[in-house]
Amino acid sequence: MAPPARIFDANNNGDPAIVAAVKLVSNETAALPHRAGLLDADEFRRRGHQVIDFIADYYAGIGSYPVRPSVTPGFLRDKLPDHAPSRPEHDAFAAALRDVRDHILPGLTHWQSPRHFAHFPASSSTAGALGEALAAGINVVPFTWAASPAATELEMVVTDWLGKALHLPDTLLFSGGGGGTLLGTSCEAILCALVAAREQKLPEVGSSKGIDDLVVYCSDQTHFALRKAARIAGIHRDNCREIPTRRDRMFALSPADLRAAMDADAAAGLVPLFVCATVGTTQTAAVDPIGELCSIAAARGAWVHVDAAYAGAALACPEFRDVIDNAAEGVDSFSMNAHKWLLANTDCCALWARRPAVLVAGLGVENEYILKDAAEEGHDVVDYKDWSVTLTRRFRALKLWLVLRCHGVEGLRDHVRGHVAMAAAFEEMVRADERFEVVVPRQFSLVCFRLQPPEMLDGGEKAANELNRRLLEEVNATGSGGPYMSSAKVGGVYMLRCAIGSTLTEEHHVIEAWKVVQDRASDLLGKMEITYGVRA
């Protein structure tokens, strides 16, 4: 191959400026290391095998790690240098993997552990993890159709696939006039829907009303992502209505209370804008009555968004269709996290909108962007940059498509049903021990329970809450063989949460977890009897 200077000399008739520039670049880069190794195929293959082996070994030995590490702030900073190396050490990649093994893994909360019951799952699978690697390796940026046509169209296909698998109404799918997109998290999905609702509402109310008059509604169980999204979208803090829920309604949002709140705001000259309903709240997996809430919101012209981040996956199972039934026909947008319970690996949130044009009107850019293609002429293409907050976006569709291809809808149903069955078994074990109570009936694969205080223990609910707080501490302090659970305090009641959903969790892990809870409860009650003379 001819040297660059000769090529430019030939192509540019010896233009002195170009020849001089090429010589300058050649001189400046001559002393630099060869750059071809940055994406050398053989090097990538060798290092890739190392990474795959590392991850495989991690999963094979994940049971040896405590689910939650016993570390103090600053532990890792003290082990690592305070500045990056100026040049890589010998075999830097292998050395870095050793640091991951020796310093980083011991300080992680292991979300894929089969004994992780504290949070809703961050599910993982071979297809999901390798799909993520495939997308990272190809590394396209599908923010417009022209920027990556196949990536855009695969996202359209796969969101319709998933929507059909979840029995969503046709009105939310591309095939029915709606459409879906893949975002990072439900927090982003709520914000996108709220901005679209705001931009649609302001022209409707005219110049007499402004953003300070817009009101959003949720229950006191709605994820705080709604409050954060409202703040980012410019909604006044005082205009976010958190409607109290009750234990006798399983902490679901009351349609009557929503109507009363909307009527009061309208009477005060405010504008009902947005209702965030939930299928599977974080604390107790409560399910709001979607159909009734849609009817009430429609009467006031308010947008209804359904946040089904965790429990949306369960809709793939026909036995859970009554959760929303035909009620979803009335919603304006719907989101769920495929990375929570459908094996897609973080991050992968699906958002569907009944009227995508409203999303585009609220989130799209007005000027023509640089990447346009003549092939688009005469076609109504989707530019996903206009469907979300970000412009740069990831090729998430490839990962989700691979999961659906490799597991099929029935495989995903089996995955969900397995966890639901284990949660049902855990619930029955709790009910069989008269020392405990199930605080609210199990929803999906979440069991909320507590240890009942001895009859002679004074202090009422406050003492009962303190007893269960101590129990949770004891359970989580068990060590490498013990479970990791979390708590919720709803309606003044402190309860333990056992959320079953890790890909690696099997029935024996659940049985062992319950045995730990029983043993720690016995120890705790025994100490109370000695200290206070209280009999359990």
XYZ file of all heavy atoms in Angstrom, residues 21-111:
718
model
N 0.057 18.534 5.573
C -0.771 18.062 6.682
C -0.572 16.574 6.917
O -0.470 16.110 8.057
C -2.241 18.367 6.399
N -0.512 15.790 5.838
C -0.326 14.346 5.970
C 1.038 14.037 6.584
O 1.173 13.162 7.441
C -0.485 13.659 4.613
C -0.062 12.197 4.706
C -1.916 13.768 4.134
N 2.054 14.762 6.179
C 3.373 14.547 6.753
C 3.381 14.862 8.236
O 4.001 14.158 9.041
C 4.408 15.415 6.023
C 4.746 14.915 4.627
C 5.796 15.807 3.990
C 6.186 15.283 2.605
N 7.200 16.161 1.966
N 2.657 15.908 8.631
C 2.597 16.288 10.042
C 1.953 15.183 10.871
O 2.459 14.804 11.930
C 1.817 17.597 10.194
C 1.596 18.084 11.645
C 2.942 18.390 12.292
C 0.702 19.318 11.650
N 0.828 14.646 10.363
C 0.147 13.568 11.075
C 1.042 12.341 11.162
O 1.138 11.687 12.206
C -1.192 13.217 10.384
C -1.795 11.963 11.003
C -2.154 14.385 10.481
N 1.720 12.023 10.064
C 2.601 10.852 10.047
C 3.715 10.994 11.070
O 4.057 10.048 11.782
C 3.183 10.654 8.652
O 2.157 10.430 7.707
N 4.276 12.179 11.159
C 5.361 12.402 12.106
C 4.870 12.314 13.552
O 5.545 11.776 14.421
C 6.007 13.767 11.857
C 6.772 13.802 10.542
O 7.210 12.755 10.042
N 6.936 14.992 9.986
N 3.677 12.881 13.805
C 3.151 12.903 15.173
C 2.778 11.516 15.667
O 2.890 11.221 16.848
C 1.918 13.817 15.238
C 2.224 15.294 15.073
C 2.963 15.862 16.269
O 2.769 15.344 17.388
O 3.763 16.790 16.086
N 2.296 10.666 14.778
C 1.796 9.349 15.195
C 2.824 8.249 15.069
O 2.578 7.125 15.502
C 0.562 8.952 14.353
O 0.932 8.913 12.972
C -0.571 9.947 14.559
N 3.975 8.559 14.487
C 4.970 7.507 14.243
C 5.438 6.853 15.534
O 5.736 5.655 15.575
C 6.173 8.100 13.494
N 5.526 7.667 16.612
C 6.051 7.139 17.877
C 4.974 6.517 18.761
O 5.296 5.976 19.817
C 6.754 8.262 18.648
N 3.715 6.610 18.373
C 2.636 6.079 19.205
C 2.495 4.577 19.019
O 2.847 4.041 17.967
C 1.313 6.763 18.839
C 1.229 8.259 19.153
C -0.130 8.791 18.710
C 1.435 8.537 20.632
N 1.967 3.881 20.034
C 1.768 2.434 19.885
C 0.799 2.125 18.751
O -0.056 2.937 18.409
C 1.161 2.031 21.243
C 1.499 3.146 22.178
C 1.554 4.382 21.345
N 0.958 0.924 18.203
C 0.064 0.490 17.128
C -1.363 0.413 17.658
O -1.620 -0.189 18.694
C 0.518 -0.875 16.615
C -0.285 -1.370 15.451
N -0.453 -0.637 14.304
C -0.954 -2.539 15.273
C -1.196 -1.335 13.454
N -1.518 -2.486 14.026
N -2.327 1.023 16.987
C -3.692 1.145 17.489
C -4.619 0.032 17.012
O -5.749 -0.070 17.468
C -4.284 2.503 17.073
C -3.502 3.676 17.626
C -4.045 4.994 17.107
N -5.437 5.198 17.461
C -5.845 5.668 18.650
N -4.958 5.945 19.583
N -7.123 5.844 18.902
N -4.159 -0.823 16.108
C -5.037 -1.852 15.571
C -5.511 -2.814 16.666
O -6.583 -3.396 16.576
C -4.338 -2.628 14.467
N -4.729 -2.972 17.750
C -5.076 -3.899 18.814
C -6.296 -3.495 19.614
O -6.815 -4.286 20.402
N -6.765 -2.268 19.456
C -7.932 -1.816 20.220
C -9.168 -2.636 19.887
O -10.040 -2.807 20.745
C -8.204 -0.332 19.939
C -7.129 0.636 20.422
C -7.491 2.060 20.040
C -6.960 0.526 21.942
N -9.279 -3.107 18.667
C -10.377 -4.000 18.290
C -9.854 -5.133 17.422
O -10.452 -5.491 16.420
C -11.490 -3.232 17.555
C -12.524 -2.528 18.420
C -13.538 -1.782 17.549
C -13.258 -3.528 19.323
N -8.742 -5.685 17.829
C -8.159 -6.811 17.105
C -9.010 -8.055 17.343
O -9.336 -8.395 18.493
C -6.734 -7.049 17.593
C -6.099 -8.250 16.911
O -5.729 -8.131 15.737
O -6.022 -9.308 17.570
N -9.390 -8.726 16.286
C -10.311 -9.860 16.407
C -9.734 -10.981 17.265
O -10.430 -11.555 18.119
C -10.676 -10.386 15.018
N -8.461 -11.304 17.075
C -7.857 -12.387 17.852
C -7.749 -12.013 19.328
O -7.991 -12.844 20.214
C -6.476 -12.738 17.295
C -6.559 -13.409 15.921
O -7.607 -14.027 15.642
O -5.586 -13.309 15.147
N -7.363 -10.779 19.589
C -7.273 -10.318 20.972
C -8.646 -10.318 21.634
O -8.796 -10.718 22.792
C -6.665 -8.907 21.002
C -6.574 -8.271 22.375
C -5.445 -8.841 23.217
O -4.756 -9.783 22.764
O -5.237 -8.340 24.336
N -9.638 -9.870 20.894
C -11.002 -9.866 21.419
C -11.442 -11.292 21.760
O -12.048 -11.537 22.809
C -11.951 -9.242 20.396
C -13.328 -8.983 20.925
C -13.645 -7.776 21.528
C -14.323 -9.949 20.830
C -14.908 -7.540 22.031
C -15.592 -9.724 21.328
C -15.889 -8.511 21.928
N -11.142 -12.231 20.887
C -11.533 -13.626 21.129
C -10.850 -14.173 22.383
O -11.481 -14.828 23.218
C -11.171 -14.467 19.902
C -11.617 -15.913 19.992
C -11.336 -16.651 18.694
N -12.229 -16.206 17.620
C -11.860 -15.455 16.591
N -10.601 -15.058 16.474
N -12.724 -15.098 15.672
N -9.570 -13.886 22.544
C -8.833 -14.403 23.701
C -9.361 -13.806 24.999
O -9.629 -14.522 25.964
C -7.330 -14.085 23.529
C -6.446 -14.697 24.616
C -4.991 -14.617 24.212
N -4.497 -13.244 24.249
C -3.968 -12.689 25.349
N -3.887 -13.389 26.466
N -3.519 -11.459 25.317
N -9.513 -12.476 25.026
C -10.014 -11.827 26.236
C -11.474 -12.201 26.489
O -11.909 -12.324 27.637
C -9.881 -10.311 26.124
C -8.450 -9.801 25.994
C -7.589 -10.234 27.135
N -6.270 -9.612 27.100
C -5.251 -9.971 27.864
N -5.393 -10.991 28.705
N -4.094 -9.343 27.790
N -12.222 -12.362 25.423
C -13.622 -12.742 25.569
C -13.780 -14.077 26.262
O -14.652 -14.250 27.127
N -12.919 -15.038 25.916
C -12.954 -16.342 26.583
C -12.647 -16.190 28.071
O -13.253 -16.859 28.915
C -11.953 -17.296 25.935
C -12.433 -17.898 24.645
N -13.584 -18.661 24.556
C -11.927 -17.852 23.378
C -13.763 -19.052 23.306
N -12.777 -18.570 22.564
N -11.711 -15.293 28.397
C -11.389 -15.061 29.801
C -12.596 -14.530 30.563
O -12.875 -14.956 31.690
C -10.224 -14.069 29.926
C -8.873 -14.628 29.525
C -7.788 -13.584 29.691
O -7.562 -12.744 28.812
N -7.100 -13.629 30.817
N -13.298 -13.588 29.954
C -14.462 -12.997 30.613
C -15.571 -14.027 30.785
O -16.187 -14.131 31.856
C -14.963 -11.768 29.827
C -16.301 -11.291 30.373
C -13.939 -10.644 29.900
N -15.842 -14.782 29.742
C -16.898 -15.801 29.828
C -16.563 -16.823 30.906
O -17.424 -17.217 31.709
C -17.092 -16.493 28.466
C -17.637 -15.497 27.427
C -18.035 -17.685 28.603
C -18.989 -14.918 27.765
N -15.320 -17.269 30.944
C -14.913 -18.222 31.980
C -15.065 -17.603 33.372
O -15.487 -18.280 34.320
C -13.460 -18.665 31.770
C -13.305 -19.620 30.596
O -14.326 -20.189 30.157
O -12.165 -19.786 30.109
N -14.715 -16.334 33.487
C -14.816 -15.643 34.773
C -16.270 -15.602 35.245
O -16.574 -15.918 36.400
C -14.262 -14.221 34.633
C -14.204 -13.457 35.921
C -13.041 -13.397 36.665
C -15.321 -12.783 36.411
C -12.980 -12.694 37.864
C -15.285 -12.084 37.603
C -14.109 -12.043 38.329
N -17.181 -15.213 34.353
C -18.590 -15.124 34.723
C -19.159 -16.497 35.040
O -19.923 -16.670 36.003
C -19.389 -14.444 33.593
C -18.916 -13.000 33.391
C -20.890 -14.459 33.915
C -19.509 -12.323 32.169
N -18.785 -17.497 34.240
C -19.263 -18.862 34.493
C -18.797 -19.353 35.864
O -19.571 -19.959 36.625
C -18.784 -19.798 33.394
N -17.540 -19.085 36.202
C -17.030 -19.467 37.520
C -17.761 -18.712 38.631
O -18.013 -19.266 39.710
C -15.521 -19.196 37.609
C -14.697 -20.150 36.745
O -15.240 -21.203 36.353
O -13.525 -19.828 36.469
N -18.084 -17.452 38.363
C -18.819 -16.652 39.354
C -20.175 -17.281 39.652
O -20.563 -17.452 40.816
C -18.992 -15.227 38.836
C -19.938 -14.379 39.655
C -19.635 -14.039 40.971
C -21.137 -13.920 39.110
C -20.510 -13.263 41.727
C -22.004 -13.153 39.850
C -21.694 -12.814 41.164
O -22.569 -12.052 41.903
N -20.907 -17.646 38.606
C -22.218 -18.260 38.833
C -22.085 -19.630 39.498
O -22.907 -19.998 40.345
C -22.981 -18.380 37.517
C -23.627 -17.090 37.083
C -23.436 -16.576 35.804
C -24.430 -16.373 37.953
C -24.019 -15.385 35.418
C -25.018 -15.182 37.576
C -24.804 -14.687 36.301
O -25.377 -13.510 35.926
N -21.057 -20.368 39.139
C -20.870 -21.683 39.742
C -20.584 -21.579 41.237
O -20.969 -22.460 42.015
C -19.738 -22.425 39.042
N -19.936 -20.494 41.647
C -19.568 -20.347 43.048
C -20.313 -19.262 43.786
O -19.901 -18.861 44.889
N -21.399 -18.754 43.219
C -22.072 -17.604 43.817
C -22.625 -17.920 45.200
O -22.766 -17.041 46.048
C -23.188 -17.084 42.878
C -23.614 -15.672 43.273
C -24.377 -18.037 42.854
C -24.515 -14.995 42.259
N -22.910 -19.198 45.452
C -23.432 -19.567 46.757
C -22.444 -19.392 47.884
O -22.837 -19.372 49.060
N -21.154 -19.255 47.571
C -20.142 -19.088 48.621
C -20.053 -17.660 49.122
O -19.408 -17.393 50.140
C -18.773 -19.537 48.105
O -18.325 -18.699 47.043
N -20.677 -16.727 48.421
C -20.638 -15.330 48.842
C -21.826 -15.008 49.747
O -22.948 -15.442 49.476
C -20.717 -14.388 47.635
C -19.511 -14.390 46.735
C -19.512 -15.112 45.551
C -18.382 -13.641 47.056
C -18.411 -15.105 44.704
C -17.270 -13.626 46.211
C -17.304 -14.361 45.039
O -16.207 -14.335 44.204
N -21.622 -14.224 50.814
C -22.778 -13.664 51.517
C -23.559 -12.798 50.521
O -22.951 -12.091 49.709
C -22.150 -12.808 52.616
C -20.740 -13.278 52.743
C -20.345 -13.775 51.388
N -24.881 -12.848 50.573
C -25.657 -12.071 49.607
C -25.328 -10.595 49.733
O -25.149 -9.897 48.735
C -27.169 -12.299 49.811
C -27.952 -11.572 48.723
C -27.491 -13.778 49.799
N -25.254 -10.137 50.961
C -24.906 -8.734 51.212
C -23.584 -8.682 51.948
O -23.424 -9.331 52.976
C -26.002 -8.040 52.027
C -25.809 -6.537 52.142
C -26.947 -5.874 52.878
N -27.053 -6.340 54.254
C -27.823 -5.755 55.169
N -28.569 -4.726 54.831
N -27.872 -6.216 56.402
N -22.585 -7.919 51.458
C -21.255 -7.942 52.076
C -21.233 -7.223 53.419
O -22.026 -6.312 53.668
C -20.395 -7.201 51.051
C -21.341 -6.242 50.400
C -22.652 -6.978 50.323
N -20.318 -7.627 54.256
C -20.100 -6.957 55.531
C -18.886 -6.049 55.373
O -17.750 -6.424 55.684
C -19.880 -7.985 56.641
O -19.631 -7.349 57.871
N -19.116 -4.866 54.847
C -18.034 -3.912 54.595
C -18.435 -2.547 55.137
O -19.609 -2.290 55.421
C -17.724 -3.799 53.082
C -17.188 -5.118 52.542
C -18.962 -3.371 52.296
N -17.459 -1.677 55.278
C -17.705 -0.311 55.724
C -17.322 0.656 54.616
O -16.474 0.331 53.768
C -16.903 0.004 56.990
O -15.510 -0.242 56.730
C -17.368 -0.866 58.153
N -17.924 1.836 54.581
C -17.610 2.811 53.528
C -16.111 3.087 53.440
O -15.437 3.253 54.455
C -18.396 4.061 53.962
C -19.565 3.514 54.734
C -19.010 2.328 55.472
N -15.620 3.112 52.217
C -14.211 3.378 51.971
C -13.362 2.139 51.828
O -12.167 2.231 51.510
N -13.969 0.939 52.026
C -13.169 -0.292 52.013
C -12.458 -0.505 50.681
O -11.306 -0.944 50.642
C -14.056 -1.502 52.338
C -14.838 -2.017 51.169
C -14.377 -3.084 50.425
C -16.012 -1.394 50.773
C -15.085 -3.547 49.329
C -16.724 -1.849 49.681
C -16.258 -2.927 48.953
N -13.136 -0.204 49.564
C -12.532 -0.448 48.255
C -11.562 0.667 47.883
O -10.511 0.407 47.297
C -13.618 -0.592 47.187
C -13.126 -0.940 45.788
C -12.377 -2.275 45.786
C -14.279 -0.999 44.792
N -11.898 1.889 48.223
C -11.002 3.008 47.907
C -9.645 2.826 48.577
O -8.616 3.249 48.047
C -11.643 4.331 48.346
C -12.844 4.731 47.516
C -13.338 6.099 47.907
N -13.609 6.183 49.343
C -14.763 6.577 49.853
N -15.753 6.905 49.057
N -14.927 6.640 51.162
N -9.661 2.197 49.741
C -8.400 1.974 50.450
C -7.544 0.898 49.781
O -6.334 0.837 50.008
C -8.672 1.561 51.901
C -9.287 2.684 52.724
O -9.154 3.850 52.303
O -9.906 2.403 53.756
N -8.166 0.037 48.986
C -7.436 -1.055 48.341
C -6.897 -0.679 46.966
O -5.971 -1.324 46.470
C -8.350 -2.281 48.196
C -8.771 -2.930 49.518
C -9.692 -4.109 49.253
C -10.174 -4.747 50.543
N -9.079 -5.369 51.293
N -7.487 0.324 46.336
C -7.117 0.670 44.961
C -6.288 1.946 44.926
O -6.430 2.806 45.795
C -8.380 0.830 44.113
C -9.286 -0.401 44.011
C -10.507 -0.085 43.160
C -8.535 -1.607 43.447
N -5.432 2.107 43.914
C -4.651 3.344 43.791
C -5.564 4.558 43.646
O -6.713 4.443 43.213
C -3.829 3.114 42.518
C -3.831 1.637 42.306
C -5.137 1.138 42.846
N -5.027 5.730 43.982
C -5.845 6.943 43.904
C -5.750 7.625 42.550
O -6.267 8.728 42.365
C -5.482 7.929 45.025
C -4.019 8.359 44.970
O -3.305 7.952 44.022
O -3.599 9.106 45.874
N -5.057 6.994 41.597
C -5.011 7.547 40.242
C -4.858 6.404 39.243
O -4.381 5.321 39.592
C -3.860 8.546 40.085
C -2.511 7.958 40.394
N -1.990 7.942 41.676
C -1.589 7.346 39.603
C -0.812 7.350 41.655
N -0.535 6.986 40.410
N -5.292 6.657 38.017
C -5.201 5.646 36.963
C -3.750 5.477 36.526
O -2.958 6.419 36.603
C -6.056 6.052 35.770
N -3.382 4.297 36.044
C -2.002 4.097 35.566
C -1.735 4.938 34.328
O -2.620 5.135 33.484
C -1.954 2.605 35.246
C -3.376 2.201 35.014
C -4.193 3.065 35.919
N -0.525 5.438 34.221
C -0.176 6.207 33.024
C 0.035 5.290 31.833
O -0.263 5.648 30.698
C 1.092 7.036 33.273
O 2.178 6.186 33.641
N 0.509 4.094 32.089
C 0.656 3.065 31.061
C 0.169 1.740 31.638
O 0.322 1.491 32.841
C 2.117 2.916 30.628
C 2.674 4.108 29.862
C 2.066 4.208 28.485
N 2.609 5.333 27.734
C 2.127 5.739 26.572
N 1.089 5.099 26.030
N 2.663 6.765 25.950
N -0.417 0.876 30.823
C -0.903 -0.396 31.359
C 0.238 -1.280 31.823
O 1.319 -1.290 31.230
C -1.639 -1.022 30.166
C -1.051 -0.369 28.960
C -0.695 1.030 29.381
N -0.023 -2.015 32.918
C 0.953 -2.980 33.410
C 0.990 -4.182 32.473
O 0.151 -4.325 31.576
C 0.565 -3.427 34.819
C -0.796 -4.107 34.867
C -1.341 -4.244 36.275
O -0.793 -5.062 37.033
O -2.305 -3.521 36.601
N 1.936 -5.077 32.711
C 2.022 -6.288 31.904
C 0.769 -7.131 32.107
O 0.333 -7.360 33.237
C 3.270 -7.089 32.297
C 3.357 -8.439 31.643
N 3.572 -8.592 30.289
C 3.205 -9.695 32.162
C 3.582 -9.878 29.992
N 3.361 -10.578 31.105
N 0.164 -7.572 31.000
C -1.057 -8.375 31.029
C -2.111 -7.703 31.912
O -2.666 -8.301 32.845
C -0.771 -9.784 31.528
C -1.822 -10.791 31.048
O -2.699 -10.393 30.245
O -1.790 -11.959 31.484
N -2.372 -6.442 31.603
C -3.250 -5.613 32.440
C -4.655 -6.188 32.557
O -5.293 -6.080 33.609
C -3.311 -4.195 31.879
N -5.152 -6.800 31.492
C -6.529 -7.304 31.526
C -6.666 -8.428 32.548
O -7.595 -8.444 33.363
C -6.943 -7.792 30.137
C -8.423 -8.005 29.991
C -9.258 -6.964 29.631
C -8.983 -9.251 30.222
C -10.624 -7.157 29.506
C -10.346 -9.455 30.102
C -11.175 -8.398 29.739
N -5.738 -9.363 32.541
C -5.778 -10.464 33.503
C -5.613 -9.949 34.924
O -6.272 -10.432 35.860
C -4.692 -11.486 33.179
N -4.742 -8.939 35.098
C -4.548 -8.359 36.427
C -5.822 -7.671 36.915
O -6.178 -7.758 38.100
C -3.388 -7.372 36.399
N -6.497 -7.004 36.002
C -7.747 -6.338 36.370
C -8.808 -7.353 36.777
O -9.563 -7.139 37.739
C -8.237 -5.474 35.213
N -8.893 -8.474 36.061
C -9.853 -9.519 36.428
C -9.544 -10.100 37.808
O -10.460 -10.435 38.572
C -9.849 -10.636 35.384
C -10.574 -10.364 34.067
C -10.503 -11.588 33.165
C -12.023 -9.969 34.303
N -8.259 -10.177 38.147
C -7.905 -10.650 39.490
C -8.392 -9.675 40.561
O -8.865 -10.079 41.632
C -6.394 -10.857 39.600
C -5.894 -12.094 38.872
C -4.463 -12.434 39.296
N -3.505 -11.396 38.903
C -2.894 -11.362 37.725
N -3.151 -12.292 36.811
N -2.038 -10.401 37.457
N -8.308 -8.386 40.268
C -8.812 -7.385 41.215
C -10.330 -7.468 41.354
O -10.869 -7.276 42.450
C -8.411 -5.983 40.765
C -6.964 -5.653 41.123
O -6.348 -6.448 41.864
O -6.466 -4.613 40.672
N -11.007 -7.748 40.246
C -12.452 -7.945 40.323
C -12.765 -9.114 41.254
O -13.628 -9.020 42.145
C -13.064 -8.194 38.929
C -14.550 -8.542 39.044
C -12.884 -6.973 38.041
N -12.041 -10.212 41.068
C -12.267 -11.403 41.890
C -11.923 -11.165 43.359
O -12.680 -11.542 44.255
C -11.412 -12.550 41.337
C -11.566 -13.869 42.089
C -10.430 -14.811 41.725
N -9.138 -14.248 42.141
C -7.971 -14.620 41.619
N -7.929 -15.514 40.647
N -6.834 -14.079 42.058
N -10.778 -10.522 43.614
C -10.270 -10.423 44.977
C -10.822 -9.237 45.764
O -10.941 -9.314 46.997
C -8.737 -10.330 44.958
C -8.087 -11.562 44.348
O -8.739 -12.627 44.320
O -6.931 -11.452 43.891
N -11.139 -8.123 45.079
C -11.517 -6.908 45.791
C -12.954 -6.457 45.535
O -13.616 -5.949 46.450
C -10.576 -5.762 45.406
C -9.135 -6.052 45.696
N -8.701 -6.613 46.879
C -8.011 -5.858 44.949
C -7.379 -6.750 46.862
N -6.936 -6.307 45.691
N -13.422 -6.641 44.293
C -14.734 -6.084 43.948
C -15.861 -7.058 44.261
O -16.843 -6.682 44.926
C -14.750 -5.659 42.467
C -13.748 -4.511 42.255
C -16.157 -5.223 42.046
C -13.588 -4.071 40.825
N -15.742 -8.297 43.841
C -16.818 -9.263 44.117
C -17.122 -9.405 45.607
O -18.293 -9.454 45.993
C -16.469 -10.635 43.523
C -16.566 -10.783 41.998
C -16.307 -12.235 41.601
C -17.912 -10.331 41.477
N -16.120 -9.447 46.487
C -16.444 -9.572 47.913
C -17.180 -8.366 48.487
O -17.750 -8.464 49.577
C -15.062 -9.730 48.569
C -14.177 -10.264 47.488
C -14.675 -9.600 46.238
N -17.173 -7.249 47.773
C -17.850 -6.052 48.266
C -19.170 -5.757 47.583
O -19.734 -4.684 47.760
N -19.661 -6.694 46.800
C -20.923 -6.488 46.084
C -22.089 -7.109 46.839
O -21.932 -8.101 47.555
C -20.860 -7.122 44.690
C -19.901 -6.516 43.667
C -19.969 -7.322 42.381
C -20.234 -5.052 43.400
N -23.278 -6.538 46.648
C -24.512 -7.240 46.969
C -24.826 -8.102 45.755
O -24.953 -7.596 44.644
C -25.664 -6.260 47.247
O -25.335 -5.491 48.408
C -26.965 -7.009 47.477
N -24.942 -9.394 45.965
C -25.027 -10.335 44.838
C -26.491 -10.546 44.455
O -27.173 -11.435 44.971
C -24.318 -11.635 45.190
C -22.859 -11.440 45.434
N -21.936 -11.368 44.425
C -22.169 -11.219 46.583
C -20.734 -11.137 44.916
N -20.853 -11.048 46.221
N -26.927 -9.729 43.523
C -28.327 -9.731 43.095
C -28.727 -11.038 42.423
O -29.911 -11.367 42.383
C -28.587 -8.554 42.153
C -28.726 -7.251 42.876
C -27.751 -6.564 43.515
C -29.929 -6.500 43.042
N -28.263 -5.414 44.068
C -29.598 -5.348 43.784
C -31.247 -6.671 42.618
C -30.542 -4.374 44.130
C -32.180 -5.696 42.958
C -31.839 -4.577 43.704
